[in-house]
Amino acid sequence: MRTVLLASVFALTAGSAFAQANPAVLTPERVFANPSLNGPVAQGVSLSPDGELVAFLRAREDDVSVLDLWAAPTGAGEPFKLIDARALVPDAGELSEAEKARRERMRISQRGVVEYSWDEQGRYILAPLEGDIFLASREGGEIRRLTETEADEIDAKVSPEGNYVSFVRDQDLVVMNLASGDEQAITTDGDGLITWGTAEFIAQEEMDRDTGYWWSPDEKFIALQRTDETPVDIIPRLDITGGGASVVEQRYPRAGRPNAIVELYVQDLAAGRRVKVDLGTNTDIYLGRVNWSADGKILYVQRESRDQQTLDLLRVDPATGASQVIATQTSDAWVDLTDDFKALSDGRFIWSDESTGWRHLYLYDADGTKIRAITSGEWPVKALNGVNERTGEVFFTASMRNGRELPIEQQLFRASMNRAVTPVAITPAGGWWSASVNRTATAYVGDYSDPATPPQSALYRIDGTRVRWIEENRLAEGHPFFPFVSRMQEPEFGTLESHGETLMWRMQTPPDFDPTKTYPVVMQVYGGPSTGAGVKRSWQSTTNQLLTEAGYIVFRLDNRGEGDRSAAYRHSIYRQMGVIEIEDQVLAANYLRSLPYVDDSRIAMMGWSYGGFMSLRAITEPAMGLASAAVGAPPSDWSLYDTHYTERFMSTPEDNPEGYAQADAIPRLDNLTGRMLLMHGMADDNVILENSTRVIDALQAKSIPFELMLYPGQRHGVRGNERQLQQWRMYLDFLDRTIGSRAPSAD
């Protein structure tokens, strides 16, 4: 369950430095309009392999739902538009169901150039666009259309040396020779329930793996996945739109039920021969990650057990498919999949694990023997970003300052794989950094924001020296958000202690806040297992300002189980989802009630997806004492949700019936403490609409009043400015009637 944001826009928090004589009041109509209040934010920024060009995606000023591909030289020169989506495809057609599903899994809601890739020589950029493929050449800037077919070409890639383009079409893997334009079908039997080269539903939705094939560095081999969905249950799902309804026979692997059968093969391109990789005799496993050695002679496969308590690293001979386990990670709860594997040119590799209770990086010998720890301490590595094999330097991101965990900030650090050193911060403290390090680890693209700085992107030398701005996005006169900045209060951050763990919170107050008065509070929540903190010192959502402009204090707590922290902190929810998270939210509600400026009778909660599950539990938890809750797309019965996510945290319904029973929303509905607004997309293929219809049915059977807003045609999120505007008008109206100026308890 990847986090779904309540809105796809961000906000500024700032203090008196931006004071204006005539500050403007932010409205929903302006938040969900063009141009974006974000300003010119670069997305998907990457450095060319030769280090001479930076590519990035930018939303059009006249339509934030469409992305174009831009580039900027790393030296002198201004950014330029490389691919104009509307110029190449003026009338975007309907995407195939396979591509719609893939984009839903990747949380891609925009159109145009939504993804792209370099070849490893830096000669080409490949850009899928509205189902077809375009190739931009660095030499002369020529843009070549490679395909124009009825079918969509999915997951297109340039081969490492730039000789081929590969893609999945009609469930088969196809390779195109760029010199001749000839196509070669690598597989031909993809049809019905058999698919080649595509990550299965579970991998895309829950395992952060969006591809099903991998080129060897020398272009000799392609490792490719074969998926057979025959064992997966058919869950008939109504896909309801404004123009009618259809029944989708969705193959959906619910908790405790069969998964798709996933096999891995290696195709020898020159010989035209394919061998099956030995993944073991047990087919009820997960294909976690696939990586090639630097010389292309070894295939590394991460095989995860169905209960997710064992993760094996397999060393595979690509010529024969023979494999051996060379390293294993285990846990009494679950082992997380990461992208922290790096094969080195001398045969050694780097991999991360949580054997100390915190995720850290380790250097391994070629046979899987752990040589030494690269990082250590009571803080977790967030991601391995790059390795400079010449100097032995290792670059990673972490939320740590002075050797202590600091979850609300993130920086890029440097360590050594050859000797024990104290990590050195490359980026400044005080905000939230992410970084894309180039292949040789001599430069990086850094993205930064803090409560007073909208998202910025720049190119840096590896020592942190800025080479050039990619998008400075400076908040000044002319920035879309500048007219509204002075009415946004700087957020306050704090902590609460719960069962030996330190919980982080963030609070924002209304403009002209007067601590001698009392205010209603909106508690925002996600609350579930996630790869990033919700409470962080970064650029905030403009929808927060819609709430503060309406007179609400906005509060968010990261409860136990949420965010990249220690194993103990995250594993505390094991087999009991919805229990300790609500304990922590009750703690937060009681803290709020202790504040003299909080009206303790007017506290509401709002959340979507896992946040919807949390909001539903909170409004039915007497100790929370909520006046109202806006509940979005909630999993109301975890036995209805998918295998990899649910079983990771809850085991199976057969093994943990008590845990599933206590997490069920239906028995709790008699405990509603206030008004509830229930919202759901009527074509949701992730949290199936049945999760809400069973709640609707039970409330009606109990004659309990509630409010309902369904979104025809929308999946696991509400997309587009118009619908999001309606959604937020609904939120604000509901809150006003339940805890705001029109609430019955208001003075």
Side-chain angles (χ1 to χ4, degrees), residues 471-665:
E471 289 286 13
E472 183 179 7
N473 199 16
R474 189 165 64 93
L475 187 65
E477 195 78 46
H479 190 283
F481 196 78
F482 188 75
F484 311 102
V485 65
S486 64
R487 289 184 60 80
M488 190 63 163
Q489 301 299 301
E490 186 170 355
E492 178 185 354
F493 295 87
T495 62
L496 295 174
E497 297 298 318
S498 176
H499 297 79
E501 298 286 358
T502 299
L503 313 179
M504 314 304 296
W505 59 256
R506 181 192 73 232
M507 181 165 59
Q508 289 166 273
T509 55
D512 305 318
F513 173 71
D514 183 348
T516 66
K517 298 180 179 179
T518 60
Y519 296 83
V521 178
V522 176
M523 298 179 69
Q524 296 179 328
V525 67
Y526 181 70
S530 56
T531 56
V535 176
K536 53 189 179 184
R537 205 184 302 276
S538 66
W539 180 258
Q540 301 299 321
S541 170
T542 42
T543 53
N544 285 7
Q545 187 155 338
L546 292 180
L547 295 171
T548 57
E549 287 286 9
Y552 305 114
I553 292 173
V554 179
F555 184 90
R556 177 161 182 166
L557 175 87
D558 281 354
N559 50 246
R560 282 172 291 163
E562 182 175 9
D564 286 329
R565 300 188 61 180
S566 71
Y569 178 94
R570 293 181 298 102
H571 292 173
S572 58
I573 68 167
Y574 186 54
R575 296 174 70 92
Q576 54 172 348
M577 283 162 65
V579 176
I580 62 102
E581 306 99 301
I582 288 295
E583 287 180 8
D584 291 347
Q585 295 297 331
V586 169
L587 179 69
N590 290 336
Y591 168 72
L592 288 167
R593 290 188 173 95
S594 75
L595 301 176
Y597 47 82
V598 168
D599 185 336
D600 60 8
S601 67
R602 295 194 293 164
I603 299 178
M605 183 175 279
M606 62 189 302
W608 198 274
S609 195
Y610 202 103
F613 167 70
M614 288 289 292
S615 298
L616 184 53
R617 290 189 73 79
I619 194 65
T620 56
E621 173 54 60
M624 284 292 299
L626 293 182
S628 64
V631 177
S636 66
D637 177 356
W638 285 107
S639 68
L640 302 179
Y641 201 61
D642 68 51
T643 52
H644 194 273
Y645 185 90
T646 310
E647 293 173 15
R648 187 188 326 162
F649 311 121
M650 291 284 280
S651 188
T652 64
E654 294 74 23
D655 181 60
N656 183 21
E658 298 84 2
Y660 279 81
Q662 66 80 26
D664 190 347

Side-chain angles (χ1 to χ4, degrees), residues 159-160 173 213-224 265-271 273-275 292 295-299 317-320:
S159 63
L173 182 64
Y213 71 97
W214 302 263
W215 281 93
S216 65
D218 57 6
E219 297 185 347
K220 182 178 179 181
F221 299 110
I222 301 178
L224 67 160
Y265 292 78
V266 177
Q267 180 82 21
D268 185 324
L269 288 183
R273 182 178 65 250
R274 185 186 312 143
V275 298
W292 284 95
D295 60 8
K297 294 180 179 179
I298 300 169
L299 184 68
D317 180 350
T320 66

Side-chain angles (χ1 to χ4, degrees), residues 171-243:
Q171 301 175 221
D172 281 309
L173 182 64
V174 179
V175 170
M176 174 186 289
N177 185 306
L178 279 178
S180 66
D182 294 336
E183 293 185 0
Q184 176 188 358
I186 301 300
T187 64
T188 57
D189 61 334
D191 187 42
L193 299 177
I194 305 298
T195 302
W196 287 94
T198 303
E200 75 277 22
F201 170 89
I202 283 295
Q204 294 180 34
E205 180 61 42
E206 309 298 0
M207 296 163 60
D208 289 328
R209 179 168 66 79
D210 299 313
T211 190
Y213 71 97
W214 302 263
W215 281 93
S216 65
D218 57 6
E219 297 185 347
K220 182 178 179 181
F221 299 110
I222 301 178
L224 67 160
Q225 170 180 336
R226 181 184 187 270
T227 304
D228 181 358
E229 289 191 294
T230 303
V232 181
D233 293 338
I234 297 175
I235 306 299
R237 173 176 61 82
L238 274 177
D239 195 325
I240 304 172
T241 70

